[in-house]
Amino acid sequence: MELLLDFLSRFLVQFQTPALAFLVGGMLLAAFRSKLEIPDAIYQFCVFMLLMRIGLEGGLEIRDANLADMLLPAIIAVVVGIGIVLLGSMVLACLPGVKTEDGIATAGLFGAVSASTLAAAMVMLEEQDLVFEAWVPALYPFMDIPALIVAIVLANLYLARKKEGVKAKTRIWPIISSSLRGSALSALLLGLALGLLTRPEIVYEGFYDPLFRGLLSILMLTMGMEAYTRLNELRKVAHWYAVYAAVAPLLHGLIAFGLGYVAHILTGFSPGGVILLAVMAGSSSDISGPPTLRAAIPTANPSAYIGSSTSVGTPIAIAVGIPLYVALAQAVFGV
């Protein structure tokens, strides 16, 4: 009983962090129909700055890291991304009122990674002095790209089977190429390359790092407002999407946390790294995923997969998931 009370107290403490406060503040502004608007150009700039900072830091650390230490976490990231899509597609296909291609697109979005959720988790860990390997954010594409590829392949195979006598071939490389050219991965990979191959320490320490928390607060405020406004879209489709979006992020995160714990036992993977791995698994793509899936699965209803992700999945992943994994890590690892 004492252990449970300690866990709950640690869990509740996480809600005092600035990232969650700005997210909830944005939702409240939208609920009270505030006329405050964050221009899309500012939102995109914030995303770019956050990903560049994450990429630069990751590249700088990878330069001095033992690549063997990254191998098992990278494999876990790939397995988790693919597993989320396969599991989600099967579960949603069994629910009434859910179209198969909509379910596959939804599972693909939840298998991919949210850059903003990852950034929020990094700030929360730094605020609480929870150490993690700086290369952990570089696991982003290892989970994100395989998840999107599997979702698109599954959808194309399903749609091809619906057309009698049509044998459609799904080409993998165009999917990979499109994902790599997406704005989120492009910024992250550019930062990684610059940190790994050049000497950007002065720019990183003097520009990108000091602005990180302030830009994240703007991003969280924007996401909170969008999450509330997207609720209307979600009401137009089956309510099962809302149930899935509320449960799936936590289930995915806990699975990744368990696998990360195995990596901790085998390779010494840090508790902070385990938390970030769980956060990535529990997030759903908010930048690269939606346009990729819209282009690759045009028959899927964006109100289903984007609405469930933005209005329910992302707030759950940030407001409940991150505090849950932090509190769980503090209880399990004693940090």
Side-chain angles (χ1 to χ4, degrees):
M1 188 64 178
E2 183 179 348
L3 181 63
L4 178 61
L5 291 175
D6 180 57
F7 172 80
L8 290 175
S9 65
R10 290 176 174 179
F11 176 74
L12 292 174
V13 166
Q14 312 307 321
F15 284 89
Q16 300 176 7
T17 58
L20 293 185
F22 277 90
L23 180 75
V24 174
M27 298 182 75
L28 290 174
L29 285 175
F32 287 105
R33 299 182 180 181
S34 169
K35 294 182 179 180
L36 175 65
E37 293 184 4
I38 306 295
D40 187 62
I42 293 179
Y43 173 82
Q44 295 296 333
F45 175 74
C46 291
V47 170
F48 169 77
M49 290 288 292
L50 294 176
L51 288 171
M52 279 293 292
R53 189 268 193 182
I54 292 171
L56 285 169
E57 184 180 28
L60 290 169
E61 289 297 321
I62 291 173
R63 197 166 62 194
D64 302 320
N66 182 0
L67 296 182
D69 294 339
M70 296 180 59
L71 181 60
L72 183 57
I75 293 173
I76 291 174
V78 173
V79 171
V80 168
I82 294 174
I84 288 173
V85 178
L86 295 177
L87 177 63
S89 298
M90 289 188 292
V91 169
L92 287 166
C94 298
L95 299 177
V98 176
K99 290 173 57 180
T100 300
E101 57 264 48
D102 292 351
I104 294 173
T106 302
L109 206 60
F110 278 79
V113 180
S114 165
S116 53
T117 304
L118 175 60
M122 291 174 61
V123 168
M124 291 175 68
L125 294 189
E126 290 171 0
E127 288 172 349
Q128 299 184 49
D129 295 324
L130 287 170
V131 179
F132 58 90
E133 298 86 349
W135 49 258
V136 174
L139 299 177
Y140 180 123
F142 288 92
M143 190 180 297
D144 188 84
I145 294 177
L148 293 175
I149 290 174
V150 171
I152 293 169
V153 169
L154 287 177
N156 287 342
L157 290 175
Y158 168 75
L159 295 173
R161 284 197 300 267
K162 287 179 66 176
K163 299 178 181 179
E164 296 181 3
V166 176
K167 295 183 179 180
K169 292 184 178 180
T170 302
R171 299 172 61 192
I172 302 298
W173 174 245
I175 303 171
I176 299 176
S177 177
S178 176
S179 297
L180 291 174
R181 290 198 306 267
S183 60
L185 277 178
S186 294
L188 179 66
L189 294 175
L190 175 62
L192 279 171
L194 292 173
L196 187 62
L197 303 175
T198 67
R199 299 288 178 180
E201 287 86 350
I202 295 178
V203 176
Y204 169 78
E205 295 171 1
F207 182 60
Y208 287 97
D209 191 49
L211 295 176
F212 186 68
R213 286 172 172 78
L215 294 174
L216 179 63
S217 67
I218 298 174
L219 190 63
M220 289 294 103
L221 186 68
T222 306
M223 290 180 64
M225 291 188 290
E226 185 177 357
Y228 187 85
T229 55
R230 287 277 186 181
L231 285 173
N232 289 329
E233 290 188 19
L234 195 59
R235 295 191 186 102
K236 300 175 184 176
V237 295
H239 295 298
W240 285 113
Y241 288 106
V243 176
Y244 175 83
V247 175
L250 302 180
L251 176 61
H252 300 160
L254 291 174
I255 291 173
F257 190 98
L259 293 174
Y261 180 76
V262 173
H264 170 77
I265 298 296
L266 296 178
T267 67
F269 192 39
S270 70
V274 175
I275 294 171
L276 289 183
L277 186 65
V279 169
M280 283 188 273
S283 68
S284 51
S285 180
D286 52 353
I287 301 171
S288 60
T292 300
L293 293 174
R294 274 184 173 178
I297 316 176
T299 57
N301 183 359
S303 295
Y305 59 89
I306 297 178
S308 59
S309 169
T310 305
S311 63
V312 180
T314 296
I316 289 290
I318 297 175
V320 181
I322 298 176
L324 174 63
Y325 312 137
V326 171
L328 188 59
Q330 290 173 338
V332 171
F333 299 108
V335 293

